[in-house]
Amino acid sequence: DDGVRGQEIGAVIVAESQMTAVQIRQKFSQHLDERERPKRLVLVDKLPLNDRGKFDKEALKVILCGN
C-alpha cells in the first residue's frame, strides 16, 4: 500500500540482461523496505511510447492491471 487506499506499487521493468523476476525481487529486497517494494512486477522488452515519444501511461496501466 503506497498510502492511497486501494492502490499498490507496481513496476514495469525493461531488463537489459536475462534477469528473472525472482532475481529482480531479490535486488529490490536488498535496497527497499518491504512497504516500498512493488507488489506487481512485469518484465517487458521495451516501454510503450505514445505518438510524441513519451511514456504511454495508459498502456503502462494496461500492462500492470490488465484493464
Side-chain angles (χ1 to χ4, degrees):
D1 187 350
D2 63 359
V4 178
R5 179 174 281 178
Q7 295 188 3
E8 295 179 336
I9 298 171
V12 177
I13 306 281
V14 179
E16 293 181 7
S17 66
Q18 297 300 320
M19 290 182 74
T20 65
V22 171
Q23 292 169 319
I24 292 170
R25 286 190 188 282
Q26 288 172 343
K27 288 285 187 187
F28 282 150
S29 69
Q30 292 171 0
H31 300 282
L32 299 172
D33 292 333
E34 186 174 346
R35 62 185 172 83
E36 297 172 327
R37 294 181 213 151
K39 302 291 185 213
R40 292 181 186 254
L41 179 65
V42 180
L43 302 177
V44 296
D45 294 326
K46 62 181 183 176
L47 292 173
L49 302 177
N50 64 20
D51 294 337
R52 294 182 155 182
K54 296 182 179 184
F55 297 125
D56 188 333
K57 293 178 186 177
E58 293 303 316
L60 288 172
K61 288 179 189 176
V62 170
I63 290 170
L64 279 171
C65 301
N67 296 337

